Structure formats: C-alpha cells, structure tokens
Amino acid sequence: MAKLIDEATAANQRETVAEQLADQAVKAMLNEVVTWPKPGLVDPVEHRAHPDMDVFTFIQSATSLRPYFKQAATAGLNFPTEQPAPLFFNQLRLLGQRAETTMFKATAGVNTHKGTIFSLGILTGTVATLKGRQLPVTQLNVQRVVKEMLANLLATDLDGLKHGQ
C-alpha cells in the first residue's frame, strides 16, 4: 500500500511540475509579445513589418500551445535516465511538429511561434528532465542536457538527406 501511495504522490508531483512549466512557457510568450518597443517585430503598438499578424494573433497562438509545453515537460519528467538523450530530442521534435499544426489552426495559417516551439520546447523539456532527476536547474546543467540531446544532430539530419530519406 505504501508503494502505491508513493507512486501516486510522485505522479501528482510530476503533474504539478508539468502544469507549472507549461504555465511559465506561455507566460514568457505573452510577456514577449507585449514588450514594447521592438522595431520590426509585433508588439501592442505596431506590426507594420508583419501585416498578417498582430498582438492578438500572438496571444491566440501562445495560449493554444500550452498543451504542447505540458507534453514537453511531462516527456522530460518521465524520460528514462538510461535512454540516450538524442531520443528525447526526437520525442520533443514529434511533439513540436504537432504543436505547429495547432499553432497554424489557432492563427489561420500564420507562423507566429514556430521558432519558439522549437527552442522553448527544448528548454521546457530540459528543465523538466532536471527536475525529474532531482538535479539543480542551473545554466550549466541546462546547457549540458541540451548538448547531450542535440549531440550529432546536424550530422544525423544531413546523413538522412544523403541517403534520400
């Protein structure tokens, strides 16, 4: 019985951490879009460089992506220590591709956050991985995990192109 209680408690704690990380990711995106001035970028005052989007497009996009960031966090919290880190990146990549579809639906086809999905998804998953392994979330630890995840990425991605994949 004690083991079941411990497992349920750990699962609830992981759920809470995933929710908090997703909330922080969306909050960061919303804070970014309302920052002014940002010459050439979308902000609450102007968006002439991007006539296809405005601050409301960004808000719709950011809020639509919350489930993705929770999935990225959950994946990081649950990623097995013994698995190679590049497999975790591949998992995040698949989640991110689905998130892009969600973003495009929320924005009627406008690319508001494709780069953010990639970079903030990696960071969210990385922080969750550290928390799941009960390691301190420091700049050095984040850098280490990201380097491990992306090891040989360019070579493996280009190798796939070389072989017609």
Side-chain angles (χ1 to χ4, degrees):
M1 186 59 87
K3 183 179 178 186
L4 290 173
I5 291 170
D6 288 345
E7 288 173 2
T9 301
N12 284 340
Q13 289 171 342
R14 285 191 302 273
E15 176 78 13
T16 299
V17 169
E19 294 281 351
Q20 290 171 341
L21 289 172
D23 287 344
Q24 290 299 313
V26 172
K27 182 178 177 181
M29 293 167 66
L30 295 174
N31 285 338
E32 186 279 330
V33 76
V34 298
T35 300
W36 178 81
K38 291 185 307 214
L41 299 174
V42 175
D43 61 46
V45 177
E46 71 99 14
H47 58 96
R48 282 176 277 176
H50 298 281
D52 58 335
M53 58 184 91
D54 60 22
V55 71
F56 298 106
T57 314
F58 271 72
I59 291 169
Q60 297 230 275
S61 176
T63 56
S64 78
L65 294 172
R66 188 187 181 286
Y68 159 65
F69 290 112
K70 183 178 177 193
Q71 291 170 347
T74 300
L77 289 165
N78 295 319
F79 192 75
T81 307
E82 65 278 0
Q83 292 290 321
L87 291 179
F88 180 48
F89 173 74
N90 290 337
Q91 187 178 359
L92 290 175
R93 178 185 264 176
L94 291 173
L95 293 171
Q97 289 168 343
R98 289 186 215 132
E100 287 177 11
T101 300
T102 299
M103 173 199 67
F104 284 127
K105 284 181 185 173
T107 63
V110 177
N111 175 9
T112 51
H113 288 113
K114 196 168 180 175
T116 302
I117 290 169
F118 180 79
S119 57
L120 193 52
I122 289 172
L123 291 175
T124 300
T126 297
V127 169
T129 299
L130 292 170
K131 287 185 169 286
R133 295 177 182 171
Q134 298 180 349
L135 296 170
V137 179
T138 64
Q139 180 179 346
L140 288 176
N141 280 344
V142 169
Q143 288 173 328
R144 180 183 51 76
V145 171
V146 171
K147 283 179 185 179
E148 290 170 3
M149 273 197 301
L150 303 178
N152 301 316
L153 175 67
L154 189 58
T156 56
D157 276 7
L158 292 178
D159 189 49
L161 292 174
K162 219 176 2 182
H163 294 70
Q165 296 174 339

